Amino acid sequence: MKDITPRLISLLKRGYCTPQIGRIAKQLAEPATTIHYNVKKLEKEGAVKSYKAVFNYKKIDEGFCCYVLINLSPDEYGNPERISADLAKHPEIESIDICTGDWELVLKVRTKDQDAYYNFIKNVISRKGVTKIKTLTSLKQIKTESVTI
Amino acid sequence: MKDITPRLISLLKRGYCTPQIGRIAKQLAEPATTIHYNVKKLEKEGAVKSYKAVFNYKKIDEGFCCYVLINLSPDEYGNPERISADLAKHPEIESIDICTGDWELVLKVRTKDQDAYYNFIKNVISRKGVTKIKTLTSLKQIKTESVTI
DNA sequence: GTCAATATTCGAATATTATTCAGTTAAATA
DNA sequence: TATTTAACTGAATAATATTCGAATATTGAC
């Protein structure tokens, strides 16, 4: 039997959802057509990037979560966007920020477990350009993607 | 004229969306009823927490983003969930993680600008229980909530 | 391995929900 | 104040999700 779940999760993680006009209308006590108009306006302005699902990541084999703080070598330092665009392709990486302060890059990474994380670090992060890494491991997620768990 | 936008954004930021069964079905080349069944299964298992919107935060007056690394005082150290649950109420905080490593709490915070962030720190973060704070300011977001910008 | 129980797939019919349209009201501009 | 543009809204329509029942596949007990 074909297992649809992984492909389904992969799509829902980044998009393939849509706002519930009727439910919003009821909640805000406004006509559905008014909500529709305003939602479309937000989309047209480019204010909305995507509609997506937030998961209980333990239940989709992504229970291990951590922040990866990265220092870049002098030659990558001037162009962090190149390495970032490359990293962005990896589905394990939930977010990538180019930062000021002690660290140039901050990643949020989700893997199945510590073993999978170790492999991820070995294969993806350990590369020329990265001079120093610090990992902050999440013991418990209280809030994620604006959703309180 | 009543401005619906802020209330609309507030709802979409955390939920009030739903998967697009038909579009997923087309993408995965499976019948819509099969997709429907599998989506409902994920929901029933509790694997899906919410369906929500991801924004271009610059366009919704949340252009200033940073990570806040926090050390807790010895008395809060043993029960970080209390202070976390309290922080979770604030809409400026996108995520809260209780971590190992050099910092006990990692927050991701979005405000309009640096001034708004300063006020946020003063009013929300500076409290008994927090002994040390380090802010990593995001200069550019490459990927957010699994969505590449 | 065989059989029964359970879970998954799927097409056709139905129910629900979003969207369009056209008219109205409000706001901005000159 | 007149004129243009943007925002709002109800009724009709279009699009989409959901239910149902039946077929197929998987799992677990013996």
Side-chain angles (χ1 to χ4, degrees):
Chain A
M1 192 170 280
K2 51 193 158 188
D3 189 8
I4 288 167
T5 313
R7 288 184 293 155
L8 184 53
I9 289 171
S10 164
L11 292 187
L12 289 176
K13 205 186 284 181
R14 49 199 164 86
Y16 289 88
C17 297
T18 193
Q20 293 181 288
I21 305 296
R23 207 153 78 83
I24 295 167
K26 196 166 287 177
Q27 179 67 27
L28 299 183
E30 302 286 350
T33 43
T34 301
I35 300 303
H36 182 261
Y37 175 84
N38 279 277
V39 166
K40 289 302 156 194
K41 190 160 77 90
L42 281 174
E43 292 176 2
K44 209 166 292 168
E45 289 166 349
V48 176
K49 274 288 159 199
S50 181
Y51 302 104
K52 59 152 287 183
V54 175
F55 294 94
N56 180 339
Y57 294 96
K58 282 183 196 165
K59 299 208 173 170
I60 60 166
D61 270 353
E62 299 185 20
F64 190 80
C65 173
C66 51
Y67 291 93
V68 188
L69 312 179
I70 293 176
N71 279 142
L72 295 176
S73 66
D75 49 313
E76 291 287 344
Y77 192 90
N79 185 23
E81 296 189 39
R82 203 197 54 74
I83 193 172
S84 298
D86 194 27
L87 289 171
K89 290 171 194 156
H90 294 271
E92 298 94 338
I93 304 181
E94 181 179 306
S95 71
I96 307 175
D97 286 86
I98 298 170
C99 290
T100 61
D102 295 348
W103 306 93
E104 282 87 50
L105 290 184
V106 175
L107 314 184
K108 188 168 191 174
V109 176
R110 293 186 191 277
T111 56
K112 182 175 162 54
D113 52 29
Q114 211 163 346
D115 285 353
Y117 179 67
Y118 177 60
N119 280 318
F120 173 80
I121 289 293
K122 271 201 304 186
N123 297 323
V124 177
I125 306 296
S126 297
R127 50 169 71 209
K128 49 192 175 311
V130 174
T131 57
K132 197 177 164 198
I133 297 175
K134 185 184 286 272
T135 296
L136 302 175
T137 304
S138 176
L139 297 173
K140 190 172 178 73
Q141 298 172 51
I142 305 298
K143 199 175 184 182
T144 310
E145 296 151 276
S146 300
V147 177
T148 302
I149 305 298
Chain B
M1 194 169 282
K2 51 193 157 190
D3 191 6
I4 289 166
T5 313
R7 289 184 293 156
L8 185 54
I9 289 171
S10 164
L11 292 187
L12 289 175
K13 205 186 282 182
R14 50 199 165 86
Y16 289 88
C17 297
T18 193
Q20 293 180 289
I21 306 295
R23 206 153 78 83
I24 295 167
K26 197 166 285 175
Q27 180 66 27
L28 300 183
E30 302 286 352
T33 44
T34 301
I35 301 302
H36 182 261
Y37 175 84
N38 278 277
V39 167
K40 289 301 156 196
K41 190 162 75 92
L42 282 174
E43 291 176 2
K44 209 166 292 168
E45 290 167 348
V48 175
K49 274 288 159 200
S50 180
Y51 301 103
K52 58 153 287 183
V54 175
F55 293 95
N56 179 338
Y57 294 95
K58 283 183 196 166
K59 299 207 175 172
I60 61 166
D61 271 352
E62 298 185 21
F64 190 80
C65 173
C66 50
Y67 290 93
V68 187
L69 312 179
I70 294 176
N71 279 143
L72 295 176
S73 66
D75 49 313
E76 290 289 342
Y77 192 90
N79 185 22
E81 295 189 39
R82 203 197 54 75
I83 193 172
S84 297
D86 195 26
L87 289 171
K89 290 170 193 157
H90 294 272
E92 299 94 337
I93 304 181
E94 181 178 308
S95 70
I96 307 175
D97 284 87
I98 298 170
C99 291
T100 61
D102 296 348
W103 306 92
E104 282 88 49
L105 289 185
V106 175
L107 313 185
K108 188 166 188 174
V109 176
R110 294 185 192 278
T111 56
K112 181 176 162 56
D113 51 31
Q114 212 163 345
D115 285 353
Y117 179 66
Y118 178 59
N119 280 318
F120 173 80
I121 289 293
K122 272 201 303 185
N123 296 323
V124 178
I125 305 296
S126 298
R127 51 170 71 209
K128 50 193 175 309
V130 174
T131 57
K132 196 177 164 198
I133 297 175
K134 185 184 286 273
T135 296
L136 301 174
T137 302
S138 175
L139 297 173
K140 192 174 176 74
Q141 296 172 54
I142 306 297
K143 200 176 183 181
T144 310
E145 297 152 274
S146 301
V147 178
T148 301
I149 304 298

